[in-house]
Amino acid sequence: MRIAILGATGLVGQEMIKTLEDRNFPVTEFIPLASSKSAGRVVEFRGSQFEVKEVSQDVFEGVEIALFSAGADASKKWAPIAVSNGAVVIDNSSAWRMDPEVPLVVPEVNPQDIRQHRGIIANPNCATIQALVALAPLHRRFRLEYFSAVTFQSVSGTGKEALAELDDSISSILKGNTFEPHVYPLPIGFNVLPHIGDIDETGVSEEEWKMLNESRKILHHHRLQVSCTTVRVPVRRGHSEAIVAQFEDQVTLEEAYALLSDASGVVVMSENKYITPLQAAESDFVYVGRLRYDMGLPRALSMWVVSDNLRKGAALNAVQIAELLVSDLGALK
């Protein structure tokens, strides 16, 4: 297939390239794209060097699947153009997620929704993806009523500049120097920031609204109640979430373990074991640990959920959507 990647030089774009290689995706022609700022750079795919082209109207001609990870503004501008040229766009930005005409898909949760696409399929937010991969198998059996999530999100979710700022802030602090941040409102080294995105007049941050709104859309469960606090932490790669999930039906640990053990894309840890972001780096799985009855709520479980935000939280989820399109060619057009 003729595949284009818009944002090919970014962290997620690079991970998309690696994921296409790792999963032996059927690529007959590979077209890396970026803005004028990054055009001309060279990326590697399957042992060959490719010059990154500047995105334009003409480059999408003949492209069958276009993976986008260049930000919401670029997606709003270029996705309709790519679609008009016959491509199906799988977009990793927030631009199309809540558009009622655009399916928002996690392949382990709602793969059937890709058939509703009209040329664009949205990749959910990284934190939402890993939460729902863990919660969906339990929801199908016990009917999820409410969940709370406190997220511990790595700086790679912000991009390359944030990774550099993490390193620079740690180095400055260790040397006893003052550090002036440019990416984040406060230094991220040895620190945590208790919001991701702007905080609105209700006190809720942009990332927290994503957890609520995206979860409802993906699960087709518009009565679902969600509480969320998103936290940026000084970790390079991998998001962690402390989740409490309450169900309409009585839940047992034994059945929850069994359901999660059989769930696609999930590794459930036995007893009190858990995985950390370092251990989950470059893994395709969502790890569920410290599974237990909640201390305060009835019919509720608490759990620790970890996944690689660049992999399953972005690139892998997009490539899995592309694989669904290829396996169901009727959904491709």
Side-chain angles (χ1 to χ4, degrees), residues 69-221:
S69 187
D73 289 341
S75 291
K76 289 176 182 177
K77 178 178 180 180
W78 295 110
I81 293 171
V83 171
S84 70
N85 277 275
V88 177
V89 172
I90 303 169
D91 180 46
N92 192 58
S93 80
S94 61
W96 305 100
R97 289 176 185 158
M98 299 314 299
D99 187 318
E101 302 295 323
V102 175
L104 183 64
V105 176
V106 179
E108 295 90 343
V109 180
N110 61 330
Q112 70 283 352
D113 286 356
I114 68 164
R115 284 187 160 272
Q116 302 168 11
H117 85 79
R118 299 183 179 182
I120 301 173
I121 302 170
N123 225 24
N125 187 46
C126 45
T128 305
I129 290 174
Q130 71 184 67
L132 294 191
V133 169
L135 291 174
L138 304 173
H139 169 60
R140 295 186 192 108
R141 168 62 182 86
F142 304 110
R143 190 66 178 171
L144 187 63
E145 186 175 62
Y146 161 84
F147 77 89
S148 70
V150 178
T151 72
F152 306 84
Q153 296 180 229
S154 67
V155 297
S156 59
T158 309
K160 288 182 178 180
E161 291 183 356
L163 284 171
E165 183 159 296
L166 171 64
D167 294 342
D168 292 344
S169 64
I170 289 173
S171 176
S172 293
I173 292 168
L174 287 175
K175 293 175 182 177
N177 298 329
T178 301
F179 180 79
E180 291 295 331
H182 302 287
V183 176
Y184 296 118
L186 294 167
I188 187 64
F190 303 110
N191 204 8
V192 297
L193 307 179
H195 69 94
I196 297 174
D198 294 334
I199 298 174
D200 68 13
E201 65 278 0
T202 69
V204 179
S205 78
E206 181 182 357
E207 195 90 349
E208 291 153 3
W209 280 121
K210 290 177 186 177
M211 184 70 82
L212 169 63
N213 295 327
E214 294 180 17
S215 296
R216 285 178 170 177
K217 181 174 179 178
I218 294 164
L219 294 175
H220 301 280
H221 185 5

Side-chain angles (χ1 to χ4, degrees), residues 46-83:
R46 292 179 178 165
S48 297
Q49 303 288 315
F50 293 84
E51 183 176 333
V52 177
K53 298 180 180 180
E54 182 177 355
V55 61
S56 67
Q57 290 193 357
D58 298 334
V59 295
F60 294 107
E61 186 174 347
V63 170
E64 292 166 280
I65 296 177
L67 305 177
F68 276 35
S69 187
D73 289 341
S75 291
K76 289 176 182 177
K77 178 178 180 180
W78 295 110
I81 293 171
V83 171

Side-chain angles (χ1 to χ4, degrees), residues 286-316:
V286 172
Y287 294 89
V288 179
R290 294 207 63 205
L291 186 64
R292 62 202 187 275
Y293 291 116
D294 186 63
M295 297 169 63
L297 294 176
R299 308 182 311 282
L301 298 173
S302 295
M303 64 193 78
W304 175 250
V305 179
V306 177
S307 192
D308 185 327
N309 59 294
L310 297 179
R311 192 79 174 184
K312 179 54 188 169
L316 173 62

Side-chain angles (χ1 to χ4, degrees), residues 152 154 235 237-240 275-282 304 306-307:
F152 306 84
S154 67
V235 172
R237 181 168 179 155
H239 291 353
S240 306
I275 286 286
T276 68
L278 276 177
Q279 295 164 295
E282 299 187 21
W304 175 250
V306 177
S307 192

